[in-house]
Amino acid sequence: MRLAVLGAGDVGRSVAELAAEYGHVVTAFADSTGAVVDPDGVDVAAALDHKDEAGTVGDADPADALDADYDVLVEATPTTLGDAEPGFGHARAALAAGRHVVLANKGPVAERYDDLRALERESAGELLFEATVAGAIPALATIDGVGAERVTAARGVLNGTANFILTRMAAEGLGYEHVLSEAQDLGVAEADPTFDVEGTDAALKCAILANVIHGGGYSLADVDVQGITDIPPSALDLAAEDGRTVRLIGEVTDDGARVGPRLVPENDALAVSGTMNIVQLETEHAGRLNISGRGAGGRETATAVLADVDRLA
Ligand code: HSE
C-alpha cells in the first residue's frame, strides 16, 4: 500500500520508519509546517534527519501530502477536542477522494464518530482506528472478533500515565505532585499531562469503545469523567490495608460510559502496574476476556496502525 502519513510525532514517525518492513511505501509524509512527497517513495530517514535539523520533515506545503498519490491516509496528528480539526478535515478529504483512512488521532473518532461514518458510507474508502484505544492492545479487533453486539460491557485501565502515578503512589507512599514530576522527568508523562491525569484521554477511549459497541452516538460530553488529581496517599494506604488498590478505570455498559478512580483487589486483572493498560470485555455467552499490554509509545501504537493497513490490504 502507498501511505500518506500526517503527523511526525512519536506515532507518525514510527509508522513511517516501520512501513517498509510491513511491505508498504510512504509516498507523502507531513507535519504541521512542512511535507515531503515522492510517488516513488519518500526517503524516511532523510525526512526525519531534516526534522531534527530544521524542525520539519520537508520543504513542501503540508497540504501537498493530501494531494499526493496514496492508498491509505494515516492520520497521526495530535488529538484535538470539539470539532476535532484538523484531523477530521484530513479524514474527510481522503474519504472524499475514495481513499482509506487509518486514524491514530483519537479526536475525530471520539468527537465526530457519526459524521465520520456518514462520510465513509459515501466513499469507496474504509475507516479503521485500532490505534486510538490502548496502543498496541488489539481491543477493537477483539470486539470485532467477538461481534460488537455480543459485547455487553468493556472496562479497563486505558491511560498509562495515570496508572504509573497511582502505582508509584501506592508503592512508595508518595504524594501526587511528587510522582507526577517524577513521571515527567522519566518522559512517561507529557509536559502537559492534563488529558492524562484529569481522565480526558481515558474518556476519549471510552467514547470510542462506546461508539464501536453501541454503533455510534457518543462523544466526550457523554462520558462521566473524574481524574486522579485529588487522590491523597492516605486513600491508597487505606485501600492497601484492605488488600485493595486504586486504578483509574474506564467503563462502557448499557447505561453509558464513565471514567474514575475505583477500588480494585490488588490481585485483580485490572490492577496492572506502571504504564501498562488492560482492556476487559464482558461477552454475552463467553464470559470475560482480558487483554493487557502497552497502551502507549511510538512503535507500540504504530503496530496497531500498520495492522489496520494490513487489514485494508
Ligand atoms: N498519554 C496516553 C497514556 C497515551 O499515558 O496512556 C496516548 O493515549
Side-chain angles (χ1 to χ4, degrees):
M1 298 286 241
R2 296 168 303 165
L3 310 184
V5 180
L6 302 192
D10 287 347
V11 177
R13 174 183 283 256
S14 295
V15 170
E17 285 175 328
L18 291 173
E21 190 182 319
Y22 279 70
H24 308 302
V25 180
V26 177
T27 53
F29 190 18
D31 54 35
S32 60
T33 53
V36 55
V37 175
D38 186 336
D40 295 325
V42 166
D43 182 339
V44 172
L48 291 173
D49 284 347
H50 193 282
K51 185 163 181 72
D52 291 340
E53 283 156 23
T56 179
V57 291
D59 298 323
D61 189 319
D64 292 354
L66 277 173
D67 295 328
D69 286 328
Y70 65 88
D71 304 302
V72 184
L73 181 79
V74 174
E75 220 298 333
T77 67
T79 294
T80 55
L81 306 185
D83 66 5
E85 294 292 1
F88 182 84
H90 296 155
R92 178 173 49 208
L95 289 169
R99 315 284 169 74
H100 303 299
V101 176
V102 171
L103 290 133
N105 174 354
K106 293 178 276 290
V109 203
E111 295 283 50
R112 300 184 67 182
Y113 184 83
D114 297 343
D115 294 341
L116 272 183
R117 287 298 193 201
L119 292 169
E120 186 192 31
R121 280 194 292 277
E122 300 295 314
S123 172
E126 270 186 67
L127 183 72
L128 293 173
F129 44 91
E130 179 66 79
T132 61
V133 179
I137 297 177
L140 306 184
T142 307
I143 292 171
D144 191 44
V146 171
E149 68 286 1
R150 303 286 175 214
V151 175
T152 54
R155 72 178 68 80
V157 170
L158 303 172
N159 185 272
T161 302
N163 206 62
F164 176 87
I165 292 171
L166 291 172
T167 305
R168 289 283 296 156
M169 283 175 71
E172 308 295 338
L174 298 168
Y176 166 80
E177 294 293 345
H178 182 102
V179 181
L180 174 59
S181 64
E182 183 188 80
Q184 283 169 318
D185 289 347
L186 288 171
V188 172
E190 310 281 337
D192 179 3
T194 316
F195 271 22
D196 297 310
V197 297
E198 291 187 352
T200 312
D201 177 72
L204 289 166
K205 292 163 182 165
C206 279
I208 295 167
L209 285 168
N211 279 324
V212 169
I213 292 169
H214 295 146
Y218 283 81
S219 69
L220 180 62
D222 299 304
V223 186
D224 193 30
V225 192
Q226 192 190 343
I228 62 163
T229 52
D230 297 329
I231 297 177
S234 57
L236 291 155
D237 291 343
L238 273 174
E241 282 172 18
D242 212 12
R244 295 191 288 178
T245 190
V246 177
R247 288 291 179 265
L248 183 69
I249 302 293
E251 188 176 40
V252 175
T253 64
D254 282 346
D255 298 332
R258 60 204 74 82
V259 170
R262 307 276 182 259
L263 282 168
V264 296
E266 274 173 346
N267 58 1
D268 193 271
L270 289 173
V272 289
S273 292
T275 57
M276 284 289 145
N277 281 196
I278 180 165
V279 175
Q280 186 173 81
L281 303 177
E282 301 286 351
T283 68
E284 194 177 17
H285 301 298
R288 183 174 281 177
L289 300 173
N290 291 315
I291 325 167
S292 60
R294 294 185 184 164
R299 289 174 92 79
E300 291 84 349
T301 308
T303 64
V305 168
L306 289 161
D308 274 348
V309 174
D310 282 350
R311 282 179 196 107
L312 294 166

